[in-house]
Amino acid sequence: MAEVMSLLIVDDRQDNLLILSSLVSEYFPTIKIFTAPSAADGIKLAIKRKISVALIDVQMPEMDGIEMCRQLKIDPRTRQMALILLTSHSADPGLKAKGLEAGADDFINRPFDNSEFVARVKVMLRIKRAEDDLSGRNQHLEEELAVMVTQRTQELEQELAERKQVERALTDAHEELNRSSEFLSRTSEMAKVGGWEFDLLNNKHYWTQETYRIHEIDPSLEPGLDMGISCYAPDAQQKVLAAVEACSTHGTPYDLEVPFITATGRHIWVRTQGFALTENGKVSKLRGSFQDITDRKRTESALRESEEQHRSILYTAMDGFWRVDMQGQLLEVNMSYCRMSGYSEEELLSMSIPDLEEIETSADTAARIQKIAESGEARFESRHRRKDGSSFAVQVNVQYKPENGGNMVVFIADITESKKYQEKLDHMAHFDMLTGLPNRALFIDRFQQAMAQSKRTGNQLAICFLDLDNFKPINDGHGHNAGDQILIEVAQRIKTTIREGDTVSRQGGDEFALLLSNIESDSQYQQLLDRILHSLSQAYIIDGYSHYISASIGLTLYPL
């Protein structure tokens, strides 16, 4: 999947930023758009974000667009960007030469035709996309070549290692043969695994040294079937004898774990296995292994105790816990979930997931269970019903266990408080904390929605930028608290003056922006702005003092 391209617009005029952003988003809906009100801010954004193309105004204070191009091309992090300069000085040939020398890829003269602007941006995006694709293919080829070289090197090294290994094996074969008997004996002792053989035709028995050691019998004694059977615990002797007879008669292999009593009287557990060898269609020999599994049995017992302790922890944990079958029936719950839901354990064990789930239907729950069985796990948020009829937000973590026909282990956390905190964060992200007005981000979103509506209805929009006059002396002379009170009052006066469908936003400091929709005539918005200016010019009573301010309003219409 191709990476989404991004475009940066740099202009010190807010109305130009809005218009250019809207024009780009209209014709290039898949492009990510970033804006910056100055060259310095634009450079920071270009370094932080992976920008494909930048539209840069030539005439900007502090650092102009040509200097910004030069700095972007010097920095290795941004030199791959495609740069388009926007200028109103189309008659100055020296300006274009300076821009190209600084690294600009194209010029667009203002005022520009929308179709020409779109065509130039489209060409630059295509060129940038082609460069990125070519770079990606080159990198992919280099990576493939590196992998091939690495693989071939590893193959050669492996061949060389195998050849050396064969040479060492041939050289050490004689010594290894001499050591093998001792090694096998020591290995059997470490693993506590002995071997045995029963020659049925000659009635001969053979035990390895480890088999003797497990029995705690003198290796000089002749082994026999009766000797071996007699060491098993009384309730296991008949079971083992029947398995040996079935193997001798029918060739049926066996694998048993049974209690055992050694010749010295020690009680242990053993695993005995046997299989048949045939000659001319008849069983001629039995062979098998004999293993001391006492340590493993002790470990299994300790594991069962650990599982019981784990279960105890689950029952006292802060988070809720369920174990449910594949039909959604609750098989096990802990006390934490009982406290969350208000139900008793007995009541919950008679319920299924749909009885507690507020959002999903029974069909939704069945589909989710099937999906979890396929993927093995799931994590999601939902809401559960309490016994008193209220509900609470939960985060659910599920793990599928295939044992015993399949069941699910479910951990449930009450996230009611964290959801409230998240809602507060969402509000802070879209509204000014002082005045409660929409912030810059929410204003842009509403502006784009209003543009779309304007295209459908044919009505004009008015975008107004309002600055307070004489605010700074009040803020400096009477303190920030007085200044904040005035800003709050300004916001309230504007809100009560504009229409219900209009938007006022605090852009920062003493700057506000207004979005007036469905403008049918010039007099309509002029009268509204006059009312706003009149309202703002009235006295502000702060701490017993009267303060007076005025405001300046700039306006642009869309479409022009």
Side-chain angles (χ1 to χ4, degrees):
M1 181 177 178
E3 184 177 356
V4 176
M5 302 187 74
S6 57
L7 185 141
L8 172 65
I9 303 172
V10 185
D11 198 308
D12 59 321
R13 290 187 56 181
Q14 185 68 28
D15 54 344
N16 286 343
L17 287 177
L18 283 174
I19 293 172
L20 288 172
S21 297
S22 302
L23 187 59
V24 172
S25 63
E26 177 182 357
Y27 288 94
F28 305 98
T30 62
I31 297 295
K32 286 185 177 180
I33 301 172
F34 300 95
T35 61
S38 68
D41 291 336
I43 291 173
K44 291 178 182 178
L45 259 178
I47 293 173
K48 183 177 179 181
R49 307 288 185 178
K50 187 177 180 182
I51 302 298
S52 305
V53 177
L55 298 172
I56 304 170
D57 184 28
V58 172
Q59 300 297 324
M60 290 187 289
E62 298 182 2
M63 183 191 303
D64 63 18
I66 293 177
E67 179 59 27
M68 179 180 175
C69 288
R70 184 176 292 106
Q71 293 196 21
L72 289 174
K73 289 300 181 179
I74 291 174
D75 195 321
R77 295 170 294 180
T78 56
R79 63 175 52 157
Q80 299 301 322
M81 290 172 52
L83 307 177
I84 302 176
L85 286 174
L86 305 175
T87 179
S88 301
H89 301 279
S90 58
D92 185 354
L95 181 64
K96 186 172 184 179
K98 290 179 181 178
L100 294 173
E101 183 180 26
D105 297 284
D106 197 2
F107 270 79
I108 297 179
N109 296 322
R110 286 178 167 149
F112 51 77
D113 179 72
N114 285 359
S115 60
E116 179 188 357
F117 173 84
V118 170
R120 286 178 176 270
V121 172
K122 183 181 294 186
V123 169
M124 197 58 63
L125 288 171
R126 286 178 178 173
I127 293 173
K128 185 60 182 171
R129 172 69 74 186
E131 290 176 351
D132 291 345
D133 290 345
L134 180 59
S135 175
R137 285 195 291 269
N138 288 340
Q139 182 179 356
H140 181 66
L141 290 174
E142 290 174 359
E143 291 173 353
E144 285 187 341
L145 180 59
V147 170
M148 292 172 61
V149 171
T150 301
Q151 288 178 343
R152 184 53 185 157
T153 301
Q154 291 174 346
E155 290 172 358
L156 292 174
E157 291 175 349
Q158 181 66 24
E159 291 175 3
L160 181 59
E162 290 174 354
R163 184 174 301 174
K164 290 181 178 180
Q165 185 176 0
V166 171
E167 292 174 355
R168 285 195 301 269
L170 291 174
T171 302
D172 299 339
H174 183 67
E175 295 179 5
E176 185 66 24
L177 183 61
N178 292 335
R179 291 195 299 267
S180 61
S181 179
E182 180 183 359
F183 176 76
L184 180 60
S185 177
R186 289 183 179 274
T187 302
S188 297
E189 182 178 354
M190 293 172 62
K192 298 181 180 181
V193 178
W196 58 266
E197 182 179 277
F198 178 20
D199 186 343
L200 297 176
L201 299 180
N202 300 305
N203 196 27
K204 291 288 184 179
H205 293 265
Y206 170 76
W207 289 1
T208 65
Q209 288 295 315
E210 185 61 19
T211 302
Y212 277 106
R213 192 196 67 77
I214 295 173
H215 281 75
E216 295 183 341
I217 293 176
D218 186 350
S220 64
L221 295 177
E222 183 75 20
L225 182 60
D226 293 339
M227 180 189 293
I229 294 296
S230 66
C231 289
Y232 290 97
D235 57 349
Q237 290 181 9
Q238 189 59 39
K239 184 177 183 180
V240 176
L241 185 59
V244 173
E245 290 177 351
C247 190
S248 303
T249 305
H250 306 292
T252 306
Y254 64 87
D255 186 346
L256 303 174
E257 295 183 0
V258 289
F260 190 84
I261 305 172
T262 70
T264 64
R266 283 195 315 116
H267 287 255
I268 64 173
W269 277 83
V270 297
R271 180 184 183 186
T272 178
Q273 296 175 287
F275 62 93
L277 299 175
T278 60
E279 292 182 11
N280 300 321
K282 294 184 178 181
V283 176
S284 60
K285 293 181 180 179
L286 301 183
R287 284 181 184 169
S289 63
F290 191 78
Q291 182 180 13
D292 182 349
I293 60 171
T294 306
D295 291 341
R296 197 197 82 194
K297 285 290 186 179
R298 289 172 180 164
T299 301
E300 290 175 349
S301 177
L303 181 60
R304 283 192 296 272
E305 293 178 1
S306 175
E307 288 176 345
E308 291 175 359
Q309 293 176 355
H310 180 66
R311 190 177 300 277
S312 176
I313 292 172
L314 286 177
Y315 271 81
T316 57
M318 293 296 293
D319 287 347
F321 169 78
W322 291 348
R323 187 170 62 85
V324 299
D325 63 20
M326 301 309 291
Q327 286 70 49
Q329 180 66 41
L330 274 65
L331 306 177
E332 189 176 352
V333 298
N334 70 350
M335 292 307 299
S336 290
Y337 191 78
C338 292
R339 289 190 293 269
M340 288 182 193
S341 64
Y343 289 102
S344 68
E345 181 179 4
E346 182 179 1
E347 289 172 322
L348 288 170
L349 294 181
S350 67
M351 303 170 75
S352 61
I353 295 176
D355 296 326
L356 298 163
E357 173 63 50
E358 183 178 67
I359 296 177
E360 292 185 344
T361 65
S362 297
D364 294 334
T365 299
R368 186 184 289 279
I369 290 174
Q370 180 61 36
K371 188 174 181 180
I372 292 172
E374 296 170 356
S375 64
E377 60 183 8
R379 179 187 178 98
F380 58 93
E381 293 183 3
S382 187
R383 295 192 67 85
H384 284 187
R385 282 187 289 265
R386 293 190 180 93
K387 186 175 181 178
D388 63 8
S390 63
S391 65
F392 58 106
V394 294
Q395 184 177 76
V396 184
N397 288 280
V398 188
Q399 290 185 341
Y400 172 68
K401 303 294 182 182
E403 297 84 4
N404 302 320
N407 60 83
M408 294 178 294
V409 174
V410 186
F411 295 91
I412 304 158
D414 185 342
I415 58 171
T416 303
E417 293 303 319
S418 63
K419 294 291 284 184
K420 291 179 180 178
Y421 181 68
Q422 184 60 48
E423 291 172 359
K424 182 178 179 181
L425 290 180
D426 291 342
H427 181 81
M428 292 170 62
H430 295 91
F431 290 88
D432 178 54
M433 295 301 297
L434 177 64
T435 63
L437 296 177
N439 61 13
R440 185 189 302 268
L442 183 55
F443 181 80
I444 292 175
D445 181 68
R446 291 188 179 178
F447 172 66
Q448 291 175 342
Q449 294 180 27
M451 285 180 58
Q453 183 180 7
S454 175
K455 291 178 182 178
R456 292 192 301 269
T457 62
N459 291 334
Q460 282 190 312
L461 305 175
I463 305 97
C464 311
F465 294 93
L466 183 149
D467 289 335
L468 299 181
D469 303 326
N470 303 320
F471 174 75
K472 189 175 185 303
I474 297 174
N475 198 45
D476 293 343
H478 295 271
H480 293 295
N481 182 59
D484 289 347
Q485 292 300 314
I486 288 179
L487 290 174
I488 293 171
E489 179 64 22
V490 166
Q492 186 60 36
R493 292 184 185 185
I494 297 176
K495 284 173 61 177
T496 58
T497 304
I498 62 176
R499 300 167 301 174
E500 183 177 351
D502 298 332
T503 297
V504 56
S505 162
R506 185 186 178 204
Q507 301 289 294
D510 61 351
E511 297 178 357
F512 296 82
L514 289 84
L515 177 62
L516 309 179
S517 58
N518 296 324
I519 299 300
E520 298 177 353
S521 65
D522 292 349
S523 61
Q524 183 183 22
Y525 68 77
Q526 288 173 355
Q527 292 173 3
L528 179 57
L529 295 182
D530 288 342
R531 290 198 300 272
I532 292 173
L533 292 175
H534 176 73
S535 174
L536 297 182
S537 66
Q538 304 305 305
Y540 297 81
I541 310 300
I542 309 295
D543 296 332
Y545 291 94
S546 297
H547 302 279
Y548 293 90
I549 61 173
S550 58
S552 301
I553 298 180
L555 176 142
T556 186
L557 297 175
Y558 177 88
L560 298 176

